[in-house]
Amino acid sequence: MSSFSNSFGASGRGWAGATVVSTAAGVCVAGEREVDWEFEPKTISFVGRLTPLKRVQDAVRAIALTADDEIKLQIIGDGAQRAYLEELAKSLSLEDRIVFHGFRSDAIDLLNGSAALVIPSTTEGISRVAMEAMALGKPVIGTDIPV
């Protein structure tokens, strides 16, 4: 527990007398496991829910704008917009450059095999996946979210 937490609780203003359980919300990046995805050096990953706020369609469209056909996008996660995003990728002729993995329990391993993480959200709190990517030494491509 942090020194702030200890002093806050001890001062009587917080949880003095209460049972406090501290859990680590650390980022686990240990170990490398085999995955069923052939990594390429120019693969960019998106990890998260496929909802309008995440604006994954912007990442899909950005792939279409790149002149380098070796740049690929892997979308790890599921949600209400999956069918729409798959159709968008198809309409842009990106079937060979975008892979929809759906929910994966090994998302960290997929992220570890990619060149970068993209977070095209219009709103975001403290992004756990951004912390995981940075812990893996991956650059994070993000939007300018107004404060």
Side-chain angles (χ1 to χ4, degrees):
M1 193 171 301
S2 71
S3 59
F4 170 77
S5 298
N6 284 333
S7 65
F8 185 76
S11 69
R13 295 184 308 230
W15 46 81
T19 301
V20 177
V21 178
S22 178
T23 59
V27 176
C28 178
V29 294
E32 291 186 32
R33 297 177 290 276
E34 295 253 342
V35 292
D36 61 354
W37 166 250
E38 186 108 0
F39 296 116
E40 298 181 32
K42 295 182 179 180
T43 298
I44 299 169
S45 294
F46 169 84
V47 182
R49 297 181 325 272
L50 305 183
T51 62
L53 284 176
K54 297 297 184 178
R55 298 198 55 84
V56 182
Q57 68 272 14
D58 291 347
V60 170
R61 288 188 182 105
I63 293 297
L65 294 174
T66 60
D68 187 343
D69 288 343
E70 292 181 19
I71 296 175
K72 307 217 185 287
L73 175 65
Q74 64 174 344
I75 298 174
I76 306 161
D78 227 329
Q81 283 201 311
R82 182 169 178 167
Y84 160 71
L85 293 167
E86 288 174 334
E87 186 57 38
L88 177 61
K90 185 177 179 181
S91 73
L92 296 170
S93 302
L94 296 173
E95 300 94 336
D96 60 333
R97 295 180 62 195
I98 298 180
V99 174
F100 290 85
H101 288 291
F103 172 80
R104 295 284 297 255
S105 61
D106 61 345
I108 192 77
D109 296 313
L110 292 168
L111 177 58
N112 194 27
S114 66
L117 171 73
V118 63
I119 303 175
S121 304
T122 55
T123 181
E124 197 69 53
I126 298 174
S127 173
R128 182 178 181 98
V129 72
M131 290 187 285
E132 290 170 338
M134 290 184 287
L136 291 167
K138 306 296 177 183
V140 177
I141 304 163
T143 52
D144 184 10
I145 298 172
V147 181

Short mmCIF file of all heavy atoms in Angstrom, two decimals, residues 34-72:
data_model
loop_
_atom_site.label_atom_id
_atom_site.label_comp_id
_atom_site.label_asym_id
_atom_site.label_seq_id
_atom_site.Cartn_x
_atom_site.Cartn_y
_atom_site.Cartn_z
N GLU A 34 3.49 -19.99 -27.82
CA GLU A 34 3.17 -20.16 -29.23
C GLU A 34 1.76 -19.65 -29.49
O GLU A 34 0.86 -19.86 -28.68
CB GLU A 34 3.24 -21.64 -29.61
CG GLU A 34 4.62 -22.23 -29.49
CD GLU A 34 5.24 -22.46 -30.85
OE1 GLU A 34 4.51 -22.50 -31.83
OE2 GLU A 34 6.46 -22.60 -30.89
N VAL A 35 1.58 -18.96 -30.58
CA VAL A 35 0.25 -18.50 -31.00
C VAL A 35 0.03 -18.91 -32.44
O VAL A 35 0.98 -19.22 -33.16
CB VAL A 35 0.09 -16.97 -30.84
CG1 VAL A 35 0.08 -16.57 -29.38
CG2 VAL A 35 1.16 -16.23 -31.59
N ASP A 36 -1.21 -18.93 -32.86
CA ASP A 36 -1.54 -19.39 -34.21
C ASP A 36 -1.62 -18.25 -35.22
O ASP A 36 -2.42 -18.23 -36.12
CB ASP A 36 -2.85 -20.18 -34.20
CG ASP A 36 -4.03 -19.34 -33.72
OD1 ASP A 36 -3.81 -18.18 -33.31
OD2 ASP A 36 -5.16 -19.83 -33.78
N TRP A 37 -0.75 -17.29 -35.09
CA TRP A 37 -0.74 -16.13 -35.97
C TRP A 37 0.69 -15.93 -36.43
O TRP A 37 1.61 -15.88 -35.62
CB TRP A 37 -1.26 -14.92 -35.22
CG TRP A 37 -1.03 -13.58 -35.84
CD1 TRP A 37 -0.17 -12.61 -35.38
CD2 TRP A 37 -1.65 -13.02 -36.99
NE1 TRP A 37 -0.23 -11.50 -36.17
CE2 TRP A 37 -1.12 -11.72 -37.17
CE3 TRP A 37 -2.59 -13.49 -37.90
CZ2 TRP A 37 -1.53 -10.90 -38.21
CZ3 TRP A 37 -2.97 -12.66 -38.93
CH2 TRP A 37 -2.45 -11.38 -39.08
N GLU A 38 0.88 -15.85 -37.71
CA GLU A 38 2.21 -15.64 -38.28
C GLU A 38 2.56 -14.16 -38.17
O GLU A 38 1.95 -13.32 -38.83
CB GLU A 38 2.20 -16.07 -39.74
CG GLU A 38 3.56 -16.03 -40.35
CD GLU A 38 4.12 -17.41 -40.58
OE1 GLU A 38 3.47 -18.40 -40.26
OE2 GLU A 38 5.23 -17.47 -41.06
N PHE A 39 3.51 -13.84 -37.33
CA PHE A 39 3.86 -12.44 -37.12
C PHE A 39 4.70 -11.92 -38.27
O PHE A 39 5.53 -12.61 -38.82
CB PHE A 39 4.63 -12.27 -35.81
CG PHE A 39 3.82 -12.63 -34.62
CD1 PHE A 39 4.18 -13.69 -33.82
CD2 PHE A 39 2.68 -11.93 -34.30
CE1 PHE A 39 3.43 -14.03 -32.72
CE2 PHE A 39 1.92 -12.26 -33.21
CZ PHE A 39 2.30 -13.32 -32.41
N GLU A 40 4.46 -10.69 -38.60
CA GLU A 40 5.23 -10.01 -39.62
C GLU A 40 5.71 -8.70 -39.00
O GLU A 40 5.04 -8.13 -38.15
CB GLU A 40 4.37 -9.78 -40.86
CG GLU A 40 3.90 -11.09 -41.47
CD GLU A 40 3.07 -10.89 -42.73
OE1 GLU A 40 3.32 -9.92 -43.45
OE2 GLU A 40 2.19 -11.72 -42.96
N PRO A 41 6.87 -8.23 -39.43
CA PRO A 41 7.43 -7.05 -38.77
C PRO A 41 6.60 -5.78 -38.89
O PRO A 41 6.79 -4.86 -38.13
CB PRO A 41 8.79 -6.88 -39.46
CG PRO A 41 8.75 -7.70 -40.68
CD PRO A 41 7.71 -8.76 -40.47
N LYS A 42 5.65 -5.74 -39.80
CA LYS A 42 4.85 -4.52 -39.99
C LYS A 42 3.40 -4.73 -39.57
O LYS A 42 2.49 -4.15 -40.14
CB LYS A 42 4.93 -4.08 -41.45
CG LYS A 42 6.33 -3.66 -41.87
CD LYS A 42 6.36 -3.18 -43.28
CE LYS A 42 7.75 -2.74 -43.68
NZ LYS A 42 7.78 -2.27 -45.07
N THR A 43 3.20 -5.52 -38.53
CA THR A 43 1.85 -5.76 -38.02
C THR A 43 1.55 -4.78 -36.89
O THR A 43 2.33 -4.64 -35.95
CB THR A 43 1.69 -7.20 -37.50
OG1 THR A 43 1.90 -8.10 -38.58
CG2 THR A 43 0.31 -7.43 -36.90
N ILE A 44 0.41 -4.12 -36.99
CA ILE A 44 -0.07 -3.20 -35.96
C ILE A 44 -1.26 -3.86 -35.30
O ILE A 44 -2.08 -4.48 -35.97
CB ILE A 44 -0.46 -1.84 -36.58
CG1 ILE A 44 0.76 -1.20 -37.25
CG2 ILE A 44 -1.06 -0.91 -35.53
CD1 ILE A 44 0.43 0.00 -38.11
N SER A 45 -1.37 -3.74 -33.99
CA SER A 45 -2.45 -4.39 -33.25
C SER A 45 -3.42 -3.38 -32.66
O SER A 45 -3.03 -2.30 -32.23
CB SER A 45 -1.89 -5.21 -32.08
OG SER A 45 -1.12 -6.28 -32.55
N PHE A 46 -4.68 -3.77 -32.66
CA PHE A 46 -5.71 -3.11 -31.85
C PHE A 46 -6.20 -4.17 -30.89
O PHE A 46 -6.51 -5.29 -31.30
CB PHE A 46 -6.89 -2.59 -32.68
CG PHE A 46 -8.04 -2.16 -31.82
CD1 PHE A 46 -8.07 -0.90 -31.26
CD2 PHE A 46 -9.06 -3.06 -31.51
CE1 PHE A 46 -9.10 -0.54 -30.40
CE2 PHE A 46 -10.09 -2.69 -30.65
CZ PHE A 46 -10.12 -1.43 -30.10
N VAL A 47 -6.30 -3.81 -29.61
CA VAL A 47 -6.82 -4.74 -28.60
C VAL A 47 -7.91 -4.02 -27.83
O VAL A 47 -7.67 -2.98 -27.22
CB VAL A 47 -5.72 -5.20 -27.61
CG1 VAL A 47 -6.28 -6.19 -26.61
CG2 VAL A 47 -4.52 -5.80 -28.36
N GLY A 48 -9.13 -4.57 -27.86
CA GLY A 48 -10.21 -3.95 -27.10
C GLY A 48 -11.59 -4.31 -27.63
O GLY A 48 -11.74 -5.14 -28.52
N ARG A 49 -12.58 -3.65 -27.04
CA ARG A 49 -13.97 -3.85 -27.46
C ARG A 49 -14.21 -3.19 -28.81
O ARG A 49 -13.68 -2.11 -29.07
CB ARG A 49 -14.92 -3.23 -26.43
CG ARG A 49 -14.87 -3.82 -25.06
CD ARG A 49 -15.88 -3.17 -24.10
NE ARG A 49 -16.12 -1.75 -24.31
CZ ARG A 49 -15.40 -0.77 -23.75
NH1 ARG A 49 -14.40 -1.07 -22.96
NH2 ARG A 49 -15.70 0.49 -23.97
N LEU A 50 -15.01 -3.81 -29.61
CA LEU A 50 -15.35 -3.25 -30.92
C LEU A 50 -16.65 -2.48 -30.79
O LEU A 50 -17.74 -2.98 -31.09
CB LEU A 50 -15.43 -4.36 -31.97
CG LEU A 50 -14.19 -5.25 -32.08
CD1 LEU A 50 -14.35 -6.26 -33.20
CD2 LEU A 50 -12.93 -4.43 -32.26
N THR A 51 -16.53 -1.25 -30.30
CA THR A 51 -17.67 -0.36 -30.08
C THR A 51 -17.39 0.98 -30.75
O THR A 51 -16.23 1.30 -31.05
CB THR A 51 -17.91 -0.14 -28.57
OG1 THR A 51 -16.76 0.50 -28.01
CG2 THR A 51 -18.16 -1.46 -27.84
N PRO A 52 -18.43 1.79 -30.98
CA PRO A 52 -18.23 3.08 -31.66
C PRO A 52 -17.17 3.98 -31.00
O PRO A 52 -16.40 4.63 -31.71
CB PRO A 52 -19.61 3.72 -31.62
CG PRO A 52 -20.56 2.55 -31.61
CD PRO A 52 -19.86 1.51 -30.76
N LEU A 53 -17.12 4.03 -29.67
CA LEU A 53 -16.15 4.90 -29.00
C LEU A 53 -14.70 4.53 -29.30
O LEU A 53 -13.82 5.38 -29.24
CB LEU A 53 -16.35 4.88 -27.48
CG LEU A 53 -17.55 5.67 -26.96
CD1 LEU A 53 -17.70 5.47 -25.46
CD2 LEU A 53 -17.41 7.15 -27.27
N LYS A 54 -14.45 3.29 -29.61
CA LYS A 54 -13.08 2.84 -29.89
C LYS A 54 -12.61 3.24 -31.29
O LYS A 54 -11.42 3.24 -31.57
CB LYS A 54 -12.96 1.32 -29.70
CG LYS A 54 -13.24 0.86 -28.28
CD LYS A 54 -12.23 1.42 -27.31
CE LYS A 54 -12.45 0.88 -25.91
NZ LYS A 54 -11.46 1.36 -24.97
N ARG A 55 -13.53 3.56 -32.18
CA ARG A 55 -13.24 4.05 -33.53
C ARG A 55 -12.26 3.18 -34.29
O ARG A 55 -11.36 3.67 -34.98
CB ARG A 55 -12.77 5.51 -33.49
CG ARG A 55 -13.84 6.44 -32.93
CD ARG A 55 -13.63 7.89 -33.25
NE ARG A 55 -13.49 8.18 -34.65
CZ ARG A 55 -14.50 8.36 -35.51
NH1 ARG A 55 -15.75 8.25 -35.10
NH2 ARG A 55 -14.28 8.66 -36.77
N VAL A 56 -12.46 1.88 -34.22
CA VAL A 56 -11.59 0.93 -34.92
C VAL A 56 -11.68 1.14 -36.44
O VAL A 56 -10.73 0.91 -37.17
CB VAL A 56 -11.93 -0.52 -34.52
CG1 VAL A 56 -11.01 -1.51 -35.21
CG2 VAL A 56 -11.84 -0.68 -33.01
N GLN A 57 -12.81 1.66 -36.90
CA GLN A 57 -12.96 1.93 -38.34
C GLN A 57 -11.90 2.90 -38.83
O GLN A 57 -11.47 2.84 -39.99
CB GLN A 57 -14.38 2.42 -38.68
CG GLN A 57 -14.74 3.78 -38.14
CD GLN A 57 -15.33 3.76 -36.73
OE1 GLN A 57 -15.26 2.75 -36.03
NE2 GLN A 57 -15.93 4.87 -36.33
N ASP A 58 -11.43 3.80 -37.96
CA ASP A 58 -10.37 4.73 -38.36
C ASP A 58 -9.07 3.97 -38.61
O ASP A 58 -8.32 4.30 -39.54
CB ASP A 58 -10.16 5.80 -37.29
CG ASP A 58 -11.33 6.77 -37.19
OD1 ASP A 58 -12.19 6.76 -38.09
OD2 ASP A 58 -11.38 7.52 -36.20
N ALA A 59 -8.78 2.97 -37.79
CA ALA A 59 -7.58 2.16 -37.99
C ALA A 59 -7.70 1.35 -39.28
O ALA A 59 -6.72 1.22 -40.04
CB ALA A 59 -7.35 1.25 -36.80
N VAL A 60 -8.88 0.81 -39.54
CA VAL A 60 -9.10 0.05 -40.78
C VAL A 60 -8.88 0.95 -41.99
O VAL A 60 -8.17 0.60 -42.94
CB VAL A 60 -10.52 -0.57 -40.79
CG1 VAL A 60 -10.85 -1.15 -42.16
CG2 VAL A 60 -10.65 -1.63 -39.70
N ARG A 61 -9.46 2.13 -41.96
CA ARG A 61 -9.30 3.07 -43.09
C ARG A 61 -7.85 3.53 -43.24
O ARG A 61 -7.38 3.77 -44.36
CB ARG A 61 -10.24 4.26 -42.91
CG ARG A 61 -11.69 3.90 -43.15
CD ARG A 61 -12.60 5.13 -43.16
NE ARG A 61 -13.97 4.73 -43.35
CZ ARG A 61 -14.89 4.71 -42.38
NH1 ARG A 61 -14.59 5.10 -41.15
NH2 ARG A 61 -16.13 4.33 -42.64
N ALA A 62 -7.14 3.68 -42.14
CA ALA A 62 -5.74 4.09 -42.19
C ALA A 62 -4.90 3.03 -42.89
O ALA A 62 -3.99 3.36 -43.67
CB ALA A 62 -5.20 4.34 -40.78
N ILE A 63 -5.20 1.77 -42.66
CA ILE A 63 -4.49 0.69 -43.34
C ILE A 63 -4.71 0.80 -44.86
O ILE A 63 -3.79 0.62 -45.65
CB ILE A 63 -4.93 -0.70 -42.82
CG1 ILE A 63 -4.49 -0.88 -41.36
CG2 ILE A 63 -4.39 -1.84 -43.69
CD1 ILE A 63 -3.00 -0.87 -41.12
N ALA A 64 -5.92 1.13 -45.25
CA ALA A 64 -6.23 1.29 -46.67
C ALA A 64 -5.44 2.43 -47.30
O ALA A 64 -5.14 2.40 -48.50
CB ALA A 64 -7.73 1.52 -46.86
N LEU A 65 -5.09 3.44 -46.51
CA LEU A 65 -4.38 4.61 -47.03
C LEU A 65 -2.87 4.41 -47.13
O LEU A 65 -2.20 5.21 -47.78
CB LEU A 65 -4.66 5.83 -46.13
CG LEU A 65 -6.10 6.33 -46.13
CD1 LEU A 65 -6.26 7.44 -45.09
CD2 LEU A 65 -6.51 6.81 -47.50
N THR A 66 -2.34 3.37 -46.49
CA THR A 66 -0.90 3.17 -46.51
C THR A 66 -0.46 2.64 -47.86
O THR A 66 -1.11 1.80 -48.47
CB THR A 66 -0.44 2.19 -45.41
OG1 THR A 66 -1.07 0.92 -45.62
CG2 THR A 66 -0.76 2.71 -44.03
N ALA A 67 0.65 3.14 -48.35
CA ALA A 67 1.19 2.70 -49.64
C ALA A 67 1.90 1.35 -49.52
O ALA A 67 2.07 0.65 -50.51
CB ALA A 67 2.15 3.75 -50.18
N ASP A 68 2.29 1.00 -48.31
CA ASP A 68 3.04 -0.24 -48.08
C ASP A 68 2.06 -1.39 -47.81
O ASP A 68 1.45 -1.45 -46.75
CB ASP A 68 3.97 -0.04 -46.89
CG ASP A 68 4.92 -1.21 -46.66
OD1 ASP A 68 4.67 -2.31 -47.20
OD2 ASP A 68 5.91 -1.01 -45.95
N ASP A 69 1.93 -2.28 -48.76
CA ASP A 69 1.00 -3.42 -48.63
C ASP A 69 1.43 -4.42 -47.56
O ASP A 69 0.67 -5.32 -47.23
CB ASP A 69 0.84 -4.15 -49.97
CG ASP A 69 0.02 -3.33 -50.96
OD1 ASP A 69 -0.67 -2.39 -50.53
OD2 ASP A 69 0.09 -3.65 -52.17
N GLU A 70 2.64 -4.29 -47.04
CA GLU A 70 3.10 -5.20 -46.00
C GLU A 70 2.60 -4.79 -44.62
O GLU A 70 2.71 -5.57 -43.67
CB GLU A 70 4.63 -5.29 -46.01
CG GLU A 70 5.17 -5.96 -47.25
CD GLU A 70 6.68 -6.06 -47.24
OE1 GLU A 70 7.28 -5.95 -46.16
OE2 GLU A 70 7.26 -6.25 -48.31
N ILE A 71 2.07 -3.60 -44.48
CA ILE A 71 1.53 -3.15 -43.20
C ILE A 71 0.19 -3.84 -42.99
O ILE A 71 -0.70 -3.77 -43.83
CB ILE A 71 1.38 -1.63 -43.13
CG1 ILE A 71 2.76 -0.97 -43.23
CG2 ILE A 71 0.67 -1.21 -41.84
CD1 ILE A 71 2.72 0.54 -43.29
N LYS A 72 0.09 -4.55 -41.87
CA LYS A 72 -1.11 -5.32 -41.57
C LYS A 72 -1.69 -4.86 -40.23
O LYS A 72 -0.99 -4.27 -39.42
CB LYS A 72 -0.77 -6.80 -41.49
CG LYS A 72 -0.03 -7.29 -42.74
CD LYS A 72 -0.42 -8.66 -43.13
CE LYS A 72 0.39 -9.20 -44.28
NZ LYS A 72 0.12 -8.66 -45.56
#
